[in-house]
Each structure stands twice: as structure tokens, then as C-alpha cells.
Amino acid sequence: MEELKETYFTPVVPLDFGYNYRLGAYLERYLDGLKERKILGVKCGGCGDVLVPPRMYCGKCRRKLEEWVEVGDRGELVDFTVGHVSMSKGKLSPADPYAIGLVKLDGASCPLLARIKGVEAASLRPGMRLRASWNEAAESDYLVLDHFGPE
Amino acid sequence: MDDKVAIVGVNYAQGDDLGLTRERLCFNAVRGLLDQLGIDRHAIDSFILASNDFLEGRTISNVFEDGPVGAYLKDETKVEMDGINAVVYGALRILEGNYDTALIIAHGLCGHQVSPYLQVQYSLDPTYDRQLGLLNELSGAALQAKAYLRRHGLDEGWLDRAAAWELSCGASNDKVTRKLEGVDEAKVSSSAYLYEPLRELHCYPPTDGVCAIVMASAGRARELTDRPVWIRGFGSSIDSYYFAGRDLAVSPSAGEAARRAYAMAGVDDPASRIDLAEVSGLFAYQAPLLAAAMGLAGEEEAPHRFASGEMGKDAPLSLNPSGGALSAHPVCATGAVRVAEAFRQLRGEAGAVQAGEPKLALAHGQDGLCLQQNTVVILGI
Amino acid sequence: MRNVAIVGVGYCPVFVSKRNDVSIPEMISEAIHNAYLNCGLTPEDVDAFTFGNMHTFEGVNMPHLWSIDHLTALGKPVMRIATGGTTGMSAFHCAYYHVASGLYDVVMTITFEKHSEGDAQVGLAGIITPEIMTMLSLGIDLTGGSGMGGLGGGSAGGISFQATSYLHHSGAGIEHIDAEAALERRNAAKNPYAHLKDPECTAEKIAQTPIVSYPIRYGHICPTTDGATVCILASEEKAARIADKAAWIHAVANCTTDATTGNLIEGLITDPAEQMSCQLAAKKAYERAGIEDPRKEIDLVEIYNGFAHQTLMFLEKLGMCEVGEAHKMLERGETEIDGRLPVNASGGVVSTNSIGTSALNRVTECALQIMGKAEGGHQVPKKVRKALAHGWGGLMQYNTVTILGEAPLKR
């Protein structure tokens, strides 16, 4: 088969769609809690795990979660990474180093992913105690819990 | 599983930019494979595509691909996951009894057309993770890398050695057209940090790729080739979406997928029975993590044996002699390429990366964040 | 080849325009919960899962990954299938092959769509953009003739070509499409899981709705619906222990043709009403099911009809009547719920369309009719021994067919 000369039109097509997601009752209640500086989770009646952020099902036990608990605003750093890039629409761009980590709040069974600020990256250690820092003026309800910093 | 379903031929290509439209790419792969086997598209009873609408930028992405792959007026369907799952589906269709042949065609153009990170990005919870903006494929992998290094007392130097080893295998692979010569530990450790501890060369490269595979029932397979590669078993499993609640240093679903595949294949002692494993490790720590999860090496020894080259092509159990997904990761086709690599190894057709004379091989594919979903296929000759 | 049965069906409680009370995973979990309830199985009983939806409508890639904890499927094999409008039936067929292969005994198919969360432009831009790209790469002039004319209507444009061709070949008129739409909206009123219900609907009422693109009226077009549908399949041996009434799969078949937008070239490559892939899929299905005369043996049909004329058109293409007969059967009342050959007793896609579920709902509705479990008054009075479910999608090119029976096929 002879080699066909491949020249073809290569337009760049930015496709931008807007979506409006329903959060469901669990996440709505969680975000309402953040406004009051409360971090809410749900407790599984089967395994006893306290899941934050809350959701309708414990996947392991396949049970619907009904018991609400408030967990502490302090906890232990499980692990962290320092980001040197940020990602937007799948593209990477350089960023001033910033730390994000998994913080296991007192009373929760699994950690929460959050930004870590106020601690030198070199000083971050798993096991160190951190505390939630709030920003009620945040534009997004999700960022009212702004970051975790030194206890 | 006995001799019931076999792979009779493969045709695949990978590269940074294959310079073709996806229609032309798929057509070339299928045309080449059909010619290789001396058949035409009417010999194919079932067409199974594997690709992704988001990455193609069009909904029902297979509508324009059916023609080029030869599915006009034929039975056609599309698996929207890693292509290894299309191989499993092909086996199910042949086992059902109504089909003697199936053509799997998996492809992706994340090398040059669209960012591969969107595969995971769009899969994240839009009501939470995407709103928080902290989690993406790389930051998740970095946290998993951290967990793995801590669990096994490894330092970043180990990551560099593991990456350099795997990439050096890829440099010898004629099927990887990425420029890998001269990539050594120094080159890896001087590549830029993305999310610590992961540097650029610890992470898979954006890759274009296509993989066509023809499968057949026993009788038909023996007509099409004198060296069919039999599907001995397969298994798939999936972990919780909520990765923060998982122990990131291990992959339970990779282990479960392998257990199911071994059970179907009658493999009691994988570490001694499996001669070759091609796993889709997207980051330098993943190949040994997966090997241990699948019982191919001990958890403690796996990282050391892998990075030191002790599981290379001359070893009794070779792990990723092709260079794995760290050398080339054509999103949607990667797991199918692992199957194709295992196929040519079993037939002694792997050229410079040939790892001895393997009789039983394992191929693996994954989807999701931090090894959330895994599929394993066992092949034998 | 072993026999496979449908042992359980689960719908989410309602199929409506907006489920504002639940997130996507929560909505899907409702249908799963109902499926278990309806057949007495538990998650431990299920060996594997298949999952399907048209994800561009929600903007979530491989949504089984995100929802997995809500799907009772942790640890198990989950295969995702996505084929446009036929997705629901393609995912169902995938589950069928899982069981028929002999390797899995009980498999669940999960489908859903939550259109209310989606961008309205997705459907158009998601397909039209690649159409334009393909036309450009083929050197087609976008500015002339049916190039732009068809594009202007988007999928409605292509569909109106199809409807016009159907009317021409069958001798039916727009009034028949009006009557078909009215019949299905009346049927939907008897189906608790339908969306657009109108117990008083008449052809005249439909005829008063504006023309979108002749002969398609607003009243002929399907809604967008939020909903989830789940179906549980079992091997012959397991089915006997699970369900006193099951619906048995006699045949599955699929065929695809070229992507026909109706705008692709000056004039058309393929008449979008020809639906050769439907004719071939149906033939294959009848062969596999050992059916020599479908018109005598099939008792009930569920047709994928995003647009009302398609019920009549596909009835002919499926070989259930001669070309030109479908609208006469309609006139004679033969396709009513209490007619000789009930068609779309559920109200069809034209009354309920959460796309991921739409092709599966054709199967589940046939299954429920065979099992005698259709609720709300749309259970047909005649005994349903064999039923045919049809799915359609893509750029007017994909056709899937499933034939169900009240007893296992003698092989």
C-alpha cells in the first residue's frame, strides 16, 4: 500500500461545558457545618468507621450511614507532598512550592486532604499535630476550611 | 482455563506523536493485523473498541471509528476503560459460543492531542475533590509514592534507580519510539519535581498509541496461527474511591484481580509459575508495588530486586522487560499493549527485549486514581 | 452455551426532569437497592457488574470509579460500557456474555443518566463539533446545501430527514406520528416509572405543538430525564433458586452501520430511515432465538424511539410488519396495551429518556411484562410468551436487539 501523504487540518477546539451538580444531603450538611467551624462526619453502624467528608454509604459494609458525629478540628498529619506545579484543565504550570497533606482529625477514621500552611516544608513530619484554620470570607463554601497549620 | 480462547495476532504502535488522525491510526493497526493474518474484516465476528469520549473530545467517540476498524454492518461495542478490559470482554464473547473471532482495538492520542491527566481529572468527584482543587493524578500518586517509600524504608534515590532501570528497558524496545537513550539515574534525579517525591522522569510520558488484537476460539485459532497464545485466566477488582481511607502503600484490588486470574488459570504459586509479568505501572514505584501485590515478589524485597535489575529479562521472573508504562503510556491502550508485549514474548518474537523462553505470562491494566481498579490476564503457550 | 435469565429489575423511585434531592451516586444506589429488594438477593450474591451511561452529559469520566462505594460492588469485577443511545442494552449484553460464558453466575447491570446536571450544549457540541471536523477533513464545503442546512438543525435536522424518508416509503402522514406520540404518552400515564405522563393525550393535542423541523413536532420529541435502572441476570441453575418468575434471554444481537448525520454530503450517503443495521441485528436475533416467523411468535415489543415516528419505522425495520403496515396497525388499535401486538406499553423513550437507562428500560419493560410485574396499569392483558426489546443510538447507526421468553430456550 503506497504511503498516503498525510496533511490534515488541525484546528484547536476549546470545548467548555458548564455543569450544575447536586451535592446530595450529606455533602450539603457537611458544608453547612463548615460555616459554623464544625467538621462533620458519619459513623458506620457496621464497622464503626467515622468517615469525613460524610457520604451516604460505607462501601465496605454496604450500609447506609445514618449517625452523624462531629470530629475535632485538630489532628495528626499522616503524610504530605510538596507541589511544584499546579494543574489546570490537565495542563501543568510551575508554582511556588506548597504543601498538601492527609490530616487525620481527632475522632475520624480516615484523613482529610487539605493544604498545609505555616510550617516549613522541611519541618513537616508524619505524626505532627495540626489544627484547622478557617476563612469565612472564602468565595467557595469548600474553602471555608482554608488549611491546616501548627497546633 | 484450558485451550478455549487464544490470541492469534497483535499489531501496535506507540510514540510521542504518531502524526496521524485517530481514524488513520486505527485503520493502519487493523489493516496491518488483518494482512498479517491473511484474513479480511469479514472473518471478524465481533469488534470491541476501547477509547475515551473525554479524551477524544466527542461524545460517542466510536461513531467515526467503526468504519476505519472494519466494523461496518458488523457487531460492534465499546468498553470505556483501559483496553485490557476489552481483551477480557472478547474472551467472554468467544466463550459464549456465538463468536469464533473478536477484534480488540484500543487507542489514545494523549501524546500530542490532549492532556493524559484529564483521564483521572474528569473521573474525580465533581462535588468535592474537583471543588477543593488539590487532588489530581500526580498529587495522588505523590502521596502514594510517599506511603510506599516510608513503608519500605526507601529514599528518593531508590525512586531514581527504579525509574532509570525501567526506562533503560524501554530504551531497548523497538515498540517504544520515545527517545530514552542516555536516561540514567543522574538524568532522572535532575528532572524537575512535580509533586515531591515524584520528578518528571518518575512519571509516565504523554503517549500516542494504538493496539489491535485478534482473539479466536480454539479451532479457529489453530487455523489462523500455528502458535496461538491461550488465555488461561483473568480477574478484575476495584477499591474504594475514597483514596484517603486506603492504605496507599499496597493495592488490594491488584492483589484480588490477580488472585481471581490465578484461580481461573490454576496457578498455585505465581512467584515460581509466572515467567514474565507486564504490569501497567504509571509511576516509578508502581511496578514493584504491583508485583508484590500480585504475589510475584515479596513485599520487602520487591523494590530492591526491581531497581537493581534482578527482575530483568535474564531473570527467572522478568518484570516489565518492555520498559512498561513508565516508558510509554497510551491512555486507554496501555493494558492492551501489556497483553501484546506478553504475546510476543511468549512466541519468542520480542527482539531486543526478549526475556528468555517464557511459558506463562501475566499482563495487567489499571484505571482510576492510585491503582483504584485493576485487571489481570494470564496468558500461556 | 448456557441459558441466562433476568431475575430482578430495579428502578429509582421516579423518573423526572430534576432529581435535586440526590447526588449521582446516591440516585444510582436507589435503583440498586430496589433491584435487590425485588428479587431477594444481597450484594454477596452478585459476582460481577457492568455499568453504562453517556458520561458527557454529567461531565464525569468513568463514573463507576467515583460511585463505586455506593454500588455494593467493592472488590468485584466492574466493566464499563459506553456506546451512546444503545448504552443501556450494550451494558446489558455485556452482563449477558459474562453469565453465558460460564464464568459468572449472577451479574448486575447498572445504568443511569442525570441530565439535569448537564450542560444543554453537550449533546449538540459534543457531536456537531466532531461532525464539522470530519466534514472538513473530507473536504466538504460547510457553507453550501445540506451541509449547513442539516447542521443547523443539529440532530433534529438529521432526524427530520429520517422521518421524511420514513413517511415517503410507508405512505404514512404526520398525523400518524401525532397519534403514535399521543398513544405513548397515554401509556406512560399508566407507568409509575415514566416521565411525561398524559392520560388524556390525543393526536390533536400533539398536533398543536410547534414544528421543530418538518415533520418533527415538539410533541414528538423525547424529554431529558434523571433516572437509574438496574437489572440482575443469573445462570439457569441460579435463576431457578432465585426467582419463581424470570424472563429468559433467547438472543442478543448488535449491528452498526456508517455514521449518518443526514448532513454528511450533498444528498445523503445512506438513507437514515433505511436502518440496515436494525434489519441485520433483528435477523441475527431471530436466528439465534430459533424464531422463524417473528410476527406470529413475538407477543410484545419495546422500541427505542427518541422521536415518535421511530416506533412505526423500527416496527417495520425489525421485520414485525411489512413496510407501510405499521401506521395501519396503529390506526386499527393493534399496538395499544390491550391490542394484538402491544408496542411501547411503557410509554417508550419518547416519554422517558435518561439516556444511559433508555435502551436497558426496553429490556426491563419486556422482562416485567413476561413476569407479569409491570405496575400502574400498563401490564398488558394478553399472555406474553416472547418479547422483543430494541435499542438504538450513535449517529443514527447503532442497533441492538434482545429477545426474551417466559421459559429457557431449548438448545
Side-chain angles (χ1 to χ4, degrees):
Chain A
M1 205 167 78
E2 82 265 16
E3 280 304 313
L4 291 170
K5 187 150 180 253
E6 283 283 335
T7 55
Y8 52 93
F9 178 47
T10 53
V12 174
V13 183
L15 290 176
D16 230 331
F17 299 129
Y19 295 89
N20 294 291
Y21 297 102
R22 309 316 307 188
L23 308 185
Y26 286 78
L27 210 44
E28 283 181 15
R29 189 164 163 184
Y30 172 76
L31 292 175
D32 285 342
L34 292 186
K35 290 185 192 136
E36 295 170 27
R37 298 201 174 191
K38 288 193 182 148
I39 302 174
L40 298 174
V42 280
K43 184 169 181 173
C44 177
C47 61
D49 275 0
V50 173
L51 305 172
V52 183
R55 60 201 82 125
M56 189 184 261
Y57 274 91
C58 170
K60 262 187 327 203
C61 305
R62 304 187 208 108
R63 281 175 83 110
K64 212 159 174 190
L65 300 163
E66 249 117 41
E67 189 185 336
W68 286 80
V69 298
E70 188 183 338
V71 300
D73 69 342
R74 281 157 231 249
E76 201 180 275
L77 181 65
V78 172
D79 218 330
F80 65 95
T81 177
V82 175
H84 293 255
V85 292
S86 60
M87 191 190 291
S88 171
K89 303 197 178 194
K91 297 230 153 54
L92 298 178
S93 29
D96 288 333
Y98 62 97
I100 63 174
L102 293 165
V103 182
K104 190 144 176 277
L105 296 167
D106 298 333
S109 305
C110 57
L112 206 61
L113 185 66
R115 234 186 233 242
I116 317 286
K117 286 187 190 166
V119 185
E120 283 294 315
S123 314
L124 289 170
R125 298 271 175 278
M128 75 191 303
R129 299 278 307 170
L130 296 172
R131 185 192 182 156
S133 190
W134 304 89
N135 176 16
E136 273 89 355
E139 265 182 40
S140 155
D141 284 353
Y142 291 86
L143 302 177
V144 166
L145 172 46
D146 187 75
H147 66 274
F148 282 81
E151 197 175 26
Chain B
M1 189 162 41
D2 296 332
D3 298 356
K4 288 197 187 138
V5 186
I7 296 177
V8 297
V10 304
N11 192 19
Y12 58 112
Q14 306 177 109
D16 295 340
D17 181 347
L18 291 175
L20 298 171
T21 61
R22 55 183 81 247
E23 289 81 14
R24 173 67 60 186
L25 191 67
C26 292
F27 173 79
N28 285 355
V30 174
R31 182 76 263 166
L33 183 52
L34 295 179
D35 288 345
Q36 199 182 298
L37 292 169
I39 55 177
D40 68 18
R41 70 183 193 90
H42 293 293
I44 304 296
D45 299 329
S46 183
F47 291 75
I48 304 175
L49 282 64
S51 64
N52 188 284
D53 284 4
F54 285 97
L55 299 178
E56 295 203 25
R58 54 192 191 184
T59 182
I60 329 175
S61 51
N62 43 327
V63 297
F64 292 120
E65 287 151 21
D66 294 329
V69 305
Y72 177 67
L73 295 184
K74 307 281 276 173
D75 186 314
E76 170 271 0
T77 190
K78 178 171 134 246
V79 170
E80 196 158 70
M81 303 167 80
D82 181 276
I84 197 170
N85 297 284
V87 174
V88 171
Y89 193 9
L92 295 175
R93 282 188 166 229
I94 290 171
L95 288 167
E96 181 248 10
N98 267 321
Y99 305 93
D100 279 320
T101 54
L103 170 73
I104 308 322
I105 174 85
H107 86 281
L109 290 182
C110 286
H112 79 280
Q113 202 180 80
V114 64
S115 164
Y117 305 126
L118 291 175
Q119 177 79 325
V120 167
Q121 209 54 25
Y122 284 131
S123 74
L124 296 179
D125 178 350
T127 65
Y128 186 77
D129 290 307
R130 280 196 241 169
Q131 299 302 324
L132 234 45
L134 301 173
L135 190 60
N136 57 57
E137 183 174 19
L138 297 177
S139 63
L143 288 166
Q144 185 169 49
K146 269 284 182 76
Y148 189 73
L149 295 181
R150 277 195 215 287
R151 179 67 47 87
H152 299 289
L154 305 165
D155 61 12
E156 293 190 23
W158 173 83
L159 259 183
D160 299 333
R161 283 193 299 281
W165 165 256
E166 197 164 5
L167 293 172
S168 72
C169 296
S172 311
N173 188 351
D174 62 314
K175 282 300 196 180
V176 170
T177 54
R178 186 177 205 221
K179 303 284 175 287
L180 285 173
E181 295 79 30
V183 174
D184 57 9
E185 212 178 310
K187 197 105 187 266
V188 175
S189 66
S190 60
S191 64
Y193 268 139
L194 299 178
Y195 287 87
E196 294 181 30
L198 294 177
R199 297 179 184 277
E200 248 178 71
L201 288 176
H202 297 145
C203 306
Y204 69 84
T207 315
D208 285 354
V210 63
C211 183
I213 296 177
V214 170
M215 305 172 71
S217 58
R220 194 79 182 95
R222 293 191 174 101
E223 288 169 16
L224 290 169
T225 177
D226 51 11
R227 308 209 69 205
V229 167
W230 301 100
I231 307 276
R232 292 289 176 222
F234 45 84
S236 184
S237 180
I238 183 167
D239 289 321
S240 169
Y241 168 77
Y242 303 97
F243 87 111
R246 293 197 253 137
D247 176 359
L248 292 177
V250 294
S251 177
S253 61
E256 178 60 22
R259 250 189 305 281
R260 286 165 178 258
Y262 296 145
M264 205 186 284
V267 171
D268 288 323
D269 183 4
S272 58
R273 294 276 323 275
I274 302 288
D275 303 313
L276 173 120
E278 280 283 335
V279 304
S280 298
L282 305 186
F283 303 91
Y285 67 88
Q286 284 193 349
L289 187 162
L290 288 164
M294 298 188 211
L296 300 172
E299 275 202 35
E300 283 312 308
E301 49 163 25
H304 303 288
R305 287 181 58 206
F306 181 69
S308 66
E310 274 172 51
M311 297 182 80
K313 62 189 170 94
D314 300 319
L317 199 168
S318 308
L319 179 61
N320 286 5
S322 67
L326 199 66
S327 304
H329 174 41
V331 181
C332 283
T334 304
V337 170
R338 306 271 74 67
V339 170
E341 285 284 344
F343 172 86
R344 66 177 190 146
Q345 288 276 359
L346 290 165
R347 288 177 24 140
E349 294 165 355
V353 298
Q354 183 66 43
E357 290 177 19
K359 297 280 177 287
L360 201 61
L362 177 150
H364 157 269
Q366 60 153 304
D367 277 302
L369 182 80
C370 294
L371 301 170
Q372 186 192 355
Q373 183 171 34
N374 294 277
T375 298
V376 168
V377 176
I378 310 290
L379 306 122
I381 197 157
Chain C
M1 197 175 316
R2 58 200 248 187
N3 280 310
V4 183
I6 296 173
V7 294
V9 172
Y11 293 126
C12 65
V14 285
F15 280 74
V16 291
S17 319
K18 293 191 210 297
R19 284 295 306 275
N20 287 336
D21 55 324
V22 283
S23 68
I24 287 167
E26 292 170 356
M27 184 182 75
I28 304 171
S29 74
E30 292 172 344
I32 293 176
H33 178 74
N34 284 339
Y36 285 125
L37 236 104
N38 290 341
C39 64
L41 286 177
T42 67
E44 282 74 27
D45 298 314
V46 181
D47 300 321
F49 297 77
T50 66
F51 189 104
N53 79 306
M54 272 194 74
H55 45 303
T56 346
F57 285 110
E58 293 83 22
V60 184
N61 189 19
M62 297 189 281
H64 67 283
L65 296 173
W66 167 32
S67 3
I68 197 69
D69 299 73
H70 294 69
L71 305 183
T72 71
L74 272 191
K76 300 204 177 161
V78 179
M79 194 173 287
R80 173 181 169 71
I81 304 289
T83 58
T86 48
T87 294
M89 205 181 293
S90 301
F92 170 79
H93 286 183
C94 183
Y96 160 76
Y97 288 111
H98 273 72
V99 183
S101 70
L103 295 172
Y104 303 91
D105 289 329
V106 180
V107 179
M108 175 185 279
T109 298
I110 303 170
T111 64
F112 85 98
E113 216 65 73
K114 207 155 191 279
H115 288 281
S116 68
E117 300 191 358
D119 187 311
Q121 297 312 305
V122 158
L124 275 177
I127 278 282
I128 299 302
T129 314
E131 266 189 48
I132 296 176
M133 294 307 123
T134 307
M135 291 167 74
L136 287 171
S137 70
L138 290 172
I140 294 168
D141 175 9
L142 278 178
T143 59
S146 55
M148 260 339 241
L151 274 177
S155 73
I159 289 291
S160 61
F161 282 125
Q162 182 188 65
T164 310
S165 174
Y166 158 70
L167 291 180
H168 170 74
H169 285 109
S170 65
I174 190 173
E175 64 277 10
H176 294 103
I177 308 178
D178 297 334
E180 181 60 45
L183 164 58
E184 298 204 35
R185 300 278 162 76
R186 289 196 304 272
N187 289 350
K190 299 180 183 154
N191 180 358
Y193 302 103
H195 180 185
L196 294 181
K197 307 177 212 245
D198 188 353
E200 317 285 304
C201 199
T202 59
E204 290 72 33
K205 241 177 137 175
I206 298 287
Q208 275 158 32
T209 63
I211 292 263
V212 169
S213 173
Y214 191 88
I216 310 288
R217 296 192 206 274
Y218 185 72
H220 298 164
I221 303 178
C222 58
T224 54
T225 315
D226 287 352
T229 301
V230 165
C231 186
I232 304 182
L233 290 73
S235 63
E236 189 162 3
E237 190 196 88
K238 282 268 160 90
R241 280 182 264 149
I242 297 166
D244 52 345
K245 283 234 95 187
W248 293 88
I249 299 168
H250 287 193
V252 304
N254 163 279
C255 190
T256 184
T257 178
D258 58 316
T260 320
T261 61
N263 2 332
L264 206 46
I265 280 184
E266 306 294 324
L268 307 168
I269 297 176
T270 307
D271 177 351
E274 183 197 44
Q275 294 297 314
M276 180 54 69
S277 58
C278 176
Q279 301 178 48
L280 294 177
K283 263 206 195 78
K284 216 179 342 185
Y286 298 139
E287 228 175 82
R288 289 175 178 169
I291 291 177
E292 283 178 8
D293 191 349
R295 295 173 201 182
K296 290 214 177 77
E297 298 184 52
I298 302 287
D299 296 309
L300 177 136
V301 184
E302 280 279 330
I303 288 178
Y304 192 108
N305 60 340
F307 301 84
H309 72 275
Q310 292 175 330
T311 312
L312 304 169
M313 180 188 81
F314 280 122
L315 204 57
E316 295 173 1
K317 296 304 161 191
L318 290 166
M320 287 302 297
C321 64
E322 295 295 326
V323 169
E325 259 308 292
H327 66 283
K328 296 189 182 144
M329 287 167 65
L330 172 67
E331 277 172 351
R332 295 192 290 261
E334 288 175 33
T335 60
E336 299 261 359
I337 284 177
D338 57 2
R340 179 186 71 76
L341 177 72
V343 177
N344 287 7
S346 64
V349 180
V350 78
S351 304
T352 312
N353 185 25
S354 51
I355 286 192
T357 70
S358 292
L360 178 59
N361 280 16
R362 311 280 66 74
V363 176
T364 52
E365 283 296 318
C366 284
L368 290 171
Q369 294 282 357
I370 287 175
M371 297 193 272
K373 290 184 176 173
E375 298 171 42
H378 78 287
Q379 174 70 44
V380 303
K382 67 178 279 200
K383 177 117 175 77
V384 180
R385 295 198 166 76
K386 290 190 190 169
L388 182 148
H390 160 261
W392 176 78
L395 282 176
M396 309 215 259
Q397 82 216 89
Y398 297 149
N399 279 280
T400 47
V401 173
T402 303
I403 299 183
L404 302 177
E406 58 163 355
L409 194 64
K410 303 263 180 293
R411 296 190 188 274

